[in-house]
Amino acid sequence: MKNKIEKIKDLVKAKNAVILAHYYTRPEVQQVADFVGDSLALSVEAARTNADAIVFAGVYFMAETAKILSPEKTVLIPDPEAGCSLANSCPATQFAAFRAEHPDAVVVSYVNTTAEIKALTDVCCTSSNALEVIRSIPEDKEIIFAPDRNLGSWLQKQTGRENMILWEGACHVHEEFSLEGILELRKQHPEAPILAHPECKQPILMVADFVGSTAAIIARAGVNPATEFIVVTEPGILHEMKRLYPQKTFYPAPGIDSTCGCNDCQYMKMVTLEKIASALETGQSEVVVPEQTRKKAEKSIRGMLEIKS
Ligand code: 13P
Ligand code: SF4
């Protein structure tokens, strides 16, 4: 593994590239990255990097977001098949028809969407800034929120907004945590706060001690004096939590499939060191976004970046 990492570091230097990785990727991928973050931090970093090429160690919509923000840069995705079940749950044709049924609504989309959906959106959000984005919209305005129904109803509860119309999308990872399993784990570790991502279902969010994005969950584990935590999101996040707080213990929440015992995002785990090295060596696979779509999508992402979170 040491050789692979050295080879990647050399290639990064030679190509004046930067590797951006999400917290859900494999530990060794996070180790080789120049920057590891949640989807908001990664899009901010993609917009400001001076590198000629960005290797996006994450899923396709994240690499696409980087390309939308930095069209002059080469954006490479180590595995172009690394999609997202949530982004897939919101196809552009159906969404355009849905939007047409509510012509006066402001469209807010989570960044976990395709470039086409972002182009049909007024302002994007991530789980880090979703509350601020919703609160920035005048109270009397109807809002379409897409695609995650769990995040949408959590936002509705937090803001008290009744005029929100939710798209019925979901993420396979967060939909499949077991409430019973989490409560059982809590019985075994009664002092451990439950930290959950807002893409989880409502009954899980109701028992959680804290709900937040991946970056917020990591930060919370640092400021909370507890020494053990139950973490209800993709278990790749544990790598960063253990790195930052080696004296604390983190228990990944169980999924409903007891034979597997974990809730990996199959797409994030498709990114490997071999594929990163190959992307840097061959210049494949480059992310391309048609210019007309890119321009519209950029507006909704920049609108989000202007809202303080
Ligand atoms: P974050 O916005 O917390 O990075 O989450 C991204 C994601 O894909 C959640 O499933
Ligand atoms: Fe998409 Fe879910 Fe994977 Fe996040 S965890 S990238 S929402 S499939």
Side-chain angles (χ1 to χ4, degrees), residues 117-159:
I117 297 294
K118 290 185 178 82
L120 292 166
T121 293
D122 295 305
V123 57
C124 287
C125 72
T126 74
S127 45
S128 272
N129 60 15
L131 273 173
E132 287 76 8
V133 170
I134 295 297
R135 286 182 179 137
S136 75
I137 297 164
E139 285 284 337
D140 59 335
K141 273 279 180 195
E142 198 173 40
I143 297 173
I144 289 180
F145 185 83
D148 192 78
R149 61 177 171 222
N150 297 332
L151 174 59
S153 36
W154 181 75
L155 289 169
Q156 249 180 329
K157 280 208 178 76
Q158 297 300 307
T159 59

Side-chain angles (χ1 to χ4, degrees), residues 1-12 19 27-33 273-274 276-277 280:
M1 183 152 99
K2 199 164 161 252
N3 282 352
K4 277 185 213 160
I5 291 182
E6 275 165 16
K7 180 179 167 186
I8 291 172
K9 296 266 184 210
D10 289 347
L11 283 164
V12 162
I19 301 175
E28 64 275 20
V29 168
Q30 295 186 46
Q31 269 169 37
V32 84
L273 290 183
E274 289 77 8
I276 291 174
L280 280 160

Side-chain angles (χ1 to χ4, degrees), residues 22 24 38-39 61-62 110 112 126-127 174 197 199 213-214:
H22 191 270
Y24 292 165
D38 71 346
S39 42
F61 77 79
M62 294 181 174
Y110 197 30
N112 300 35
T126 74
S127 45
H174 291 88
H197 196 280
E199 285 174 27
S213 66
T214 49

Side-chain angles (χ1 to χ4, degrees), residues 163-184:
N163 52 357
M164 271 175 81
I165 312 155
L166 307 185
W167 181 265
E168 283 291 311
C171 149
H172 74 293
V173 172
H174 291 88
E175 282 270 296
E176 289 173 11
F177 282 111
S178 158
L179 176 63
E180 293 69 29
I182 292 167
L183 294 177
E184 185 50 45

Side-chain angles (χ1 to χ4, degrees), residues 201-240:
K201 287 181 171 177
Q202 295 314 301
I204 290 178
L205 298 182
M206 280 167 68
V207 301
D209 299 286
F210 177 77
V211 177
S213 66
T214 49
I217 287 176
I218 293 168
R220 186 69 175 195
V223 294
N224 189 313
T227 54
E228 44 181 19
F229 297 86
I230 295 167
V231 184
V232 200
T233 190
E234 213 276 355
I237 193 175
L238 266 58
H239 172 73
E240 183 69 358

